[in-house]
Amino acid sequence: TPLLEPQSSPTSNAVASTPSSAPTTHRRLLAWVSEVVELTQPADVRWCDGSDAEWDELTAELIASGTLVQLDPQAKPNSFYARTDPSDVARVEDRTFICSVDPADAGPTNNWMDPTQMKSVMTDLYRGSMRGRTMYVVPFCMGPIDAEHPMFGVEITDSAYVAVSMKIMTRMGAEPLAAMTANGDADFVPCLHSVGAPLEPGQSDVPWPCSDTKYITHFPEERLIWSYGSGYGGNSLLGKKCYSLRIASVIGRDEGWLAEHMLILKLISPAGRAYHIAAAFPSACGKTNLAMIQPTIPGWRVETLGDDIAWMRFGADGRLYATNPEYGLFGVAPGTGWGTNPNAMRTIDRGNSLFTNVALTDHGDVWWEGISEVTPPHLADWRGNSWVPGEATTPAAHPNSRFCTPIRQCPILSSDYDNPAGVPIDAIIFGGRRKTTVPLVTQARDWQHGVFMGATLSSETTAAATGAVGVVRRDPMAMLPFIGYHAGDYFGHWLEVGKQHDAANLPAVFYVNWFRRSADGGFLWPGFGENSRVLKWVIERIEGKAAAVETPIGYAPTAGSLDVTGLDITEAEVAAALEVDVDEWRAELPLIEDWFAQIGDKVPTELLTELDVLRGRLGG
Ligand code: SAT
Ligand code: MN
């Protein structure tokens, strides 16, 4: 194979190595790397150590190949900009597969193919797919390396963009690699990724190599991930959705814990009491904004622990503890600005970040819709075209453009961020994006009702995945694209962990909607920092201080128990935001019935009972 030839890559002084000179003795890892080298035939192999020197080299190579542009260091130190191929801008849910041995284990919400058949299809695709490229071996750990059971992974990729992104998003490089052999060879999740664009001798590269053929594939029994054809974050940074949600949800099912699409925040009351909240919202519905919220109400303070993924395990005291497996933020850029999320702005202004598919100013800084009140007179848009405000007919930044930045740069990061034991969760919030029906906030009567709320969560689709935007769909626990097994079994797992623990120790469950509109189309609630008022109500419910009325869908704030002091809003507007409209909810019933019918026999009877109770309370 080409690998056995002396290395002569002129563009890289990388330590090109055959597996035999690899910086590890881990036998399963070495065997797997050899196997992938033989199959994909890269020109070069590089074991990533995660060092700053490596970052400098790889970003320099990515500049030379036209993938990255360095931003003005005055504005964004050590930061870079990438434009993807216009076809490779979001997660591809229709190309995402759960290849369980038994199709019944993937369930009706996932695409499935027989694992043997999928392996044969993808092995053909991988054959020679790294020709002419460097293969990066990227060891990483999701969550703290000093956890009792550190969650290792190794991504093999032919994309340097992926390798540098993994340095931001995970604990990556020499340290996790060393830890993987510290107590005998540790288990790890093998994550194989190829952009699927081999280079023949003499063929020049394109700035964003990818393939029209895409597969994002999970083999849950083997804890194995194969991704092909896309360089976009959610499809290619395999520690994130693929490992920490799809594979981890299966591990959690087997081991009695939860891997969820949730932010984690710490809320400190004026009395100095600290609470922790985990909140699930679908992609591009404001998790990053809520995670870094700057409360508008006096005396309340928030610290951030995570903006996308929570792993939650029960402690010896019976409480549910959450950790964030990630090391960085991969946030939606448009709508992020000094007015809406100043802490995210401070985080990216510290530099060391990658920006993808945003717009570029003439001064070498990034720009996107919502970043500032003023639009520069001229930009290069995400496609690289000249863009002039007033003349342009499309947004300058792609609606799913992203910033990728180290979470340690967040000025309000909680000191518990690195704590392998996690933080005790007091409340779980489910939220979606609905113009109608779902009120600003309600509280579940108990855990089972909370699971029903989560299981029937609905939201309008966003640009985070390819496909139509604005279509209402059920998105259970905001996990529809990320549950690695049968959705009915997943609901059963949520119910089961509740049954196994003392109800008094379980988090209280809430359902929110920041996106409800009035008849004239405007938002009924100002959102952003003002959402702290809803968080205050949540905490005061837990403390037994806030009043509530029981409605057919749960407990709702009484007029007066939601603190709107100093907010420019009428009583009628608050009432409209909070209203439980029985007619709208009656119209929702058949949608929930359809949804459960889609899930089929595996819908737990407890949830069918909850549906009956709801129907009864609505008088329908
Ligand atoms: O694109 S990602 O999957 O990484 C982010 C998201 O869609 O939630
Ligand atoms: Mn997400």
Side-chain angles (χ1 to χ4, degrees):
T1 72
L3 247 198
L4 302 177
E5 308 296 336
Q7 299 302 315
S8 61
S9 167
T11 56
S12 162
N13 53 2
V15 188
S17 58
T18 61
S20 61
S21 67
T24 184
T25 56
H26 195 296
R27 292 176 57 178
R28 181 174 160 229
L29 174 54
L30 290 171
W32 178 56
V33 169
S34 300
E35 207 182 288
V36 174
V37 163
E38 201 162 305
L39 176 64
T40 63
Q41 297 172 23
D44 206 348
V45 176
R46 178 170 185 145
W47 289 75
C48 289
D49 62 12
S51 64
D52 292 342
E54 175 181 273
W55 165 276
D56 292 344
E57 266 178 58
L58 295 189
T59 52
E61 284 174 26
L62 284 161
I63 289 169
S65 68
T67 308
L68 292 185
V69 171
Q70 171 131 34
L71 297 174
D72 172 9
Q74 301 281 304
K76 300 276 183 304
N78 191 29
S79 294
F80 303 87
Y81 170 62
R83 240 175 232 134
T84 71
D85 185 282
S87 69
D88 197 24
V89 296
R91 281 184 291 102
V92 283
E93 294 182 3
D94 57 331
R95 305 301 308 158
T96 301
F97 292 81
I98 301 295
C99 294
S100 47
V101 172
D102 181 349
D105 288 330
T109 61
N110 287 307
N111 301 307
W112 179 85
M113 199 193 283
D114 173 75
T116 312
Q117 191 189 344
M118 179 62 92
K119 282 193 174 167
S120 138
V121 169
M122 290 188 75
T123 299
D124 283 347
L125 291 170
Y126 283 132
R127 190 164 292 118
S129 76
M130 297 190 187
R131 274 201 307 270
R133 298 193 182 279
T134 298
M135 182 180 109
Y136 302 90
V137 183
V138 183
F140 63 92
C141 186
M142 299 315 296
I145 297 175
D146 59 355
E148 197 182 333
H149 301 290
M151 300 292 275
F152 296 114
V154 179
E155 179 159 353
I156 293 182
T157 176
D158 54 9
S159 162
Y161 168 89
V162 167
V164 291
S165 298
M166 287 293 284
K167 175 175 161 73
I168 297 176
M169 294 307 297
T170 71
R171 293 155 172 94
M172 183 276 260
E175 220 191 309
L177 184 62
M180 278 176 63
T181 53
N183 300 301
D185 288 359
D187 271 349
F188 67 96
V189 173
C191 305
L192 176 54
H193 171 252
S194 172
V195 293
L199 284 172
E200 302 311 329
Q203 186 184 344
S204 61
D205 206 354
V206 293
W208 188 269
C210 62
S211 167
D212 289 341
T213 304
K214 293 178 172 56
Y215 284 96
I216 318 299
T217 300
H218 310 72
F219 302 95
E221 286 91 355
E222 286 181 74
R223 323 288 200 225
L224 172 66
I225 300 161
W226 282 9
S227 167
Y228 181 90
S230 170
Y232 168 76
N235 303 324
S236 68
L237 311 180
L238 303 184
K240 193 172 180 52
K241 306 297 183 176
C242 299
Y243 181 157
S244 295
L245 289 176
R246 299 196 190 94
I247 293 294
S249 65
V250 174
I251 301 175
R253 173 198 65 189
D254 295 347
E255 297 180 353
W257 53 277
L258 300 165
E260 299 298 329
H261 195 201
M262 291 178 175
L263 66 93
I264 312 166
L265 66 81
K266 176 176 182 177
L267 184 60
I268 301 136
S269 76
R273 268 199 211 98
Y275 295 91
H276 296 95
I277 296 177
F281 296 81
S283 303
C285 291
K287 278 194 301 300
T288 307
N289 290 342
L290 186 60
M292 297 185 193
I293 189 174
Q294 211 158 266
T296 52
I297 40 178
W300 292 78
R301 215 156 53 73
V302 161
E303 293 177 359
T304 305
L305 285 127
D307 81 323
D308 197 40
I309 300 178
W311 283 355
M312 301 193 289
R313 295 178 166 88
F314 286 90
D317 60 359
R319 297 193 66 191
L320 189 57
Y321 286 79
T323 57
N324 172 12
E326 301 194 276
Y327 212 45
L329 309 167
F330 189 67
V332 179
T336 307
W338 289 100
T340 54
N341 192 341
N343 289 316
M345 297 302 289
R346 292 182 189 111
T347 308
I348 61 178
D349 273 0
R350 293 185 180 179
N352 312 310
S353 302
L354 297 179
F355 298 85
T356 303
N357 286 340
V358 300
L360 206 53
T361 72
D362 293 345
H363 305 287
D365 198 359
V366 290
W367 192 88
W368 51 75
E369 282 73 16
I371 195 175
S372 57
E373 312 252 286
V374 280
T375 305
H378 181 260
L379 293 162
D381 75 6
W382 70 274
R383 288 187 165 89
N385 297 325
S386 170
W387 192 96
V388 176
E391 288 175 19
T393 54
T394 51
H398 188 277
N400 193 39
S401 54
R402 299 276 171 162
F403 56 83
C404 180
T405 195
I407 197 169
R408 298 186 147 277
Q409 295 181 181
C410 174
I412 58 164
L413 189 70
S414 163
S415 60
D416 273 325
Y417 170 72
D418 267 323
N419 182 350
V423 293
I425 296 299
D426 298 286
I428 287 175
I429 296 178
F430 294 117
R433 180 188 285 270
R434 287 291 302 268
K435 291 190 177 71
T436 67
T437 317
V438 181
L440 181 62
V441 59
T442 48
Q443 181 185 8
R445 292 184 301 277
D446 54 25
W447 183 262
Q448 178 173 304
H449 182 221
V451 174
F452 176 80
M453 280 179 170
T456 58
L457 183 82
S458 55
S459 197
E460 292 148 21
T461 51
T462 69
T466 54
V469 168
V471 180
V472 175
R473 68 174 184 184
R474 297 295 126 182
D475 192 342
M477 283 80 171
M479 281 283 283
L480 181 69
F482 308 121
I483 303 171
Y485 58 104
H486 194 298
D489 290 334
Y490 171 75
F491 301 155
H493 181 59
W494 265 83
L495 291 168
E496 190 54 36
V497 297
K499 279 182 207 148
Q500 282 172 5
H501 295 89
D502 189 346
N505 284 330
L506 293 171
V509 181
F510 298 81
Y511 188 2
V512 303
N513 178 22
W514 318 135
F515 302 94
R516 199 175 191 182
R517 310 270 190 140
S518 63
D520 64 19
F523 287 106
L524 282 168
W525 180 252
F528 302 108
E530 305 298 356
N531 291 337
S532 57
R533 298 168 187 276
V534 174
L535 299 185
K536 179 183 173 190
W537 188 78
V538 163
I539 296 311
E540 291 182 344
R541 285 297 294 163
I542 294 169
E543 291 179 335
K545 287 200 235 162
V549 283
E550 192 162 4
T551 78
I553 60 167
Y555 299 109
T558 55
S561 73
L562 184 72
D563 182 353
V564 290
T565 319
L567 190 60
D568 184 19
I569 194 170
T570 65
E571 257 174 57
E573 284 167 329
V574 176
L578 293 174
E579 191 195 1
V580 178
D581 183 319
V582 169
D583 289 333
E584 283 183 333
W585 276 95
R586 281 195 191 130
E588 197 77 2
L589 284 173
L591 305 177
I592 297 173
E593 285 159 7
D594 281 356
W595 165 238
F596 281 172
Q598 270 180 57
I599 306 297
D601 299 348
K602 285 195 172 181
V603 176
T605 52
E606 291 90 334
L607 298 189
L608 298 174
T609 304
E610 286 293 333
L611 178 56
D612 283 341
V613 170
L614 175 62
R615 202 184 286 113
R617 287 172 183 241
L618 292 167

